[in-house]
Amino acid sequence: MKSMSILNRTLSLSTAALIAASLCTSLSAAPGTKNLGDVPKVDASAITVDGSKDELYDQALNIKTEINNSGISADTWVLWSDGWLYVYAEVVDPEENDISESEKATSPWTADSIEILIDDDNDGENYGMQYRVDFTGYGTWKDRNANVNYYTPDVIGDDFLYAAQSTDDGYTAEMRIPLDADEGGEVGYNIQVNGVSATSYLVEDAWNTPEYYYFVLGEPLPSAPAEAEAEAAADETAAAPQTFDAATLAALSAVLCAAGIIAAKKKR
C-alpha cells in the first residue's frame, strides 16, 4: 500500500509539472517572434552616452546581427532604466562612406550607420520607432507609425541621445532611446547596419517588417560586490553597541589614578 501511495504521488507530481510547462510555453510565446532574453535594469546615472563601453554593459543582454554581408556586422549590448533603453554597439565595417549635410537631412541611411528599431509593446502590428547613428556621430530617428522623420538637429529633440567613435575595424555607437514599457514587458527589437555596398540584419527584411524579435525588461542588476561589502560593513558598524566591559573600565581607571598620583608628587 505504501509503495502504491508513493507511485500515485509521483504520477500526480509529474502530471502537474507537464501542465505547468505547457502553460509557461503558451504564455511566453509572441506571434512571429523569438525571445532574445532578459535586459537588466540599471540606474540611469551609471551610463554615459559617449560611444565608449561603460562597465555595466558587460552585464547587459548581448545581441548580434545574424545576417552578415561583405564583412559587415554589429554586436550590441542592451540595458534599460525607467523611461529609457540604452544600446551600445560595436560595428565591423571595413569601408565607411560619409555623405553631405543635405543628404544627412534627407537620406541619412546612405551613410555607413547602424539602426535600432523598437516596438514598445511587441504587438507585431506596427512598425515602431527607428533610431540611427552614423559612423561620424550624426543621429536621426523616425516615427514609423506616423511616418514622420526627425533628421535635422532642430527637430531631433533631447530625448534621443547618441554618439559614435572610430575603431580599427569600424566604429562604435551608443544610444539612449525613449522607452514606454515597464519591468516584465516585452519590447520588439531589430537591428540593421548600413554599409557602402551591403547591409547586415538581425531578421530577414530588416527594417521593412513589423515582426521583430523581442526581449523582456528584467530586474535591476545587483549591487557590485565591493559596494555590497562596504554597505554590509557600514551596517554592522552602526549596529554594534559602543560599550566597554568591566575589566576594560577597571584597567582604564587604574591607569588614570596612577597618572594622577605621579602628577601630584611632582607638584610637591
Side-chain angles (χ1 to χ4, degrees):
M1 293 294 290
K2 185 175 181 180
S3 60
M4 184 62 70
S5 176
I6 292 173
L7 178 61
N8 289 337
R9 184 179 179 186
T10 302
L11 290 173
S12 297
L13 290 173
S14 300
T15 303
L18 289 172
I19 293 171
S22 65
L23 287 174
C24 289
T25 301
S26 62
L27 288 174
S28 64
T33 62
K34 76 173 183 180
N35 189 348
L36 296 165
D38 288 358
V39 174
K41 185 177 183 180
V42 296
D43 185 335
S45 63
I47 301 292
T48 302
V49 180
D50 57 4
S52 298
K53 190 178 183 183
D54 296 284
E55 288 185 10
L56 283 176
Y57 283 116
D58 290 334
Q59 303 178 67
L61 178 63
N62 180 213
I63 304 170
K64 305 178 182 182
T65 53
E66 297 184 355
I67 302 168
N68 304 322
N69 298 315
S70 301
I72 294 175
S73 64
D75 227 343
T76 69
W77 289 262
V78 188
L79 297 167
W80 79 286
S81 65
D82 290 326
W84 309 108
L85 190 70
Y86 293 89
V87 179
Y88 170 78
E90 293 179 353
V91 179
V92 175
D93 185 353
E95 185 182 358
E96 293 155 359
N97 176 54
D98 199 8
I99 56 178
S100 67
E101 290 299 317
S102 61
E103 289 173 313
K104 288 178 186 286
T106 54
S107 54
W109 58 89
T110 58
D112 285 49
S113 54
I114 180 170
E115 303 180 7
I116 302 297
L117 301 94
I118 67 166
D119 178 5
D120 292 89
D121 58 6
N122 190 42
D123 62 4
E125 297 178 359
N126 61 68
Y127 288 98
M129 301 292 180
Q130 182 173 11
Y131 298 89
R132 181 187 303 104
V133 180
D134 72 19
F135 74 99
T136 70
Y138 188 92
T140 54
W141 69 282
K142 179 184 183 76
D143 182 342
R144 301 192 66 211
N145 298 312
N147 195 29
V148 178
N149 298 326
Y150 298 87
Y151 290 171
T152 56
D154 60 312
V155 296
I156 286 176
D158 298 327
D159 288 343
F160 175 42
L161 298 183
Y162 47 87
Q165 293 187 22
S166 178
T167 64
D168 292 339
D169 57 0
Y171 59 95
T172 65
E174 190 173 13
M175 311 180 203
R176 186 192 74 178
I177 296 171
L179 180 68
D180 184 17
D182 300 314
E183 185 173 322
E186 295 178 359
V187 176
Y189 185 77
N190 198 0
I191 312 170
Q192 175 169 307
V193 182
N194 302 307
V196 173
S197 58
T199 51
S200 180
Y201 317 107
L202 178 60
V203 297
E204 290 286 356
D205 298 326
W207 60 273
N208 194 29
T209 175
E211 296 182 347
Y212 305 164
Y213 294 162
Y214 74 94
F215 49 66
V216 178
L217 299 182
E219 298 178 349
L221 284 173
S223 299
E227 294 177 1
E229 290 174 7
E231 290 175 3
D235 292 342
E236 186 176 343
T237 301
Q242 303 300 315
T243 59
F244 297 94
D245 58 27
T248 303
L249 288 173
L252 182 59
S253 298
V255 172
L256 292 174
C257 288
I261 292 169
I262 292 171
K265 285 183 178 180
K266 285 183 177 180
K267 286 183 180 179
R268 292 176 184 173

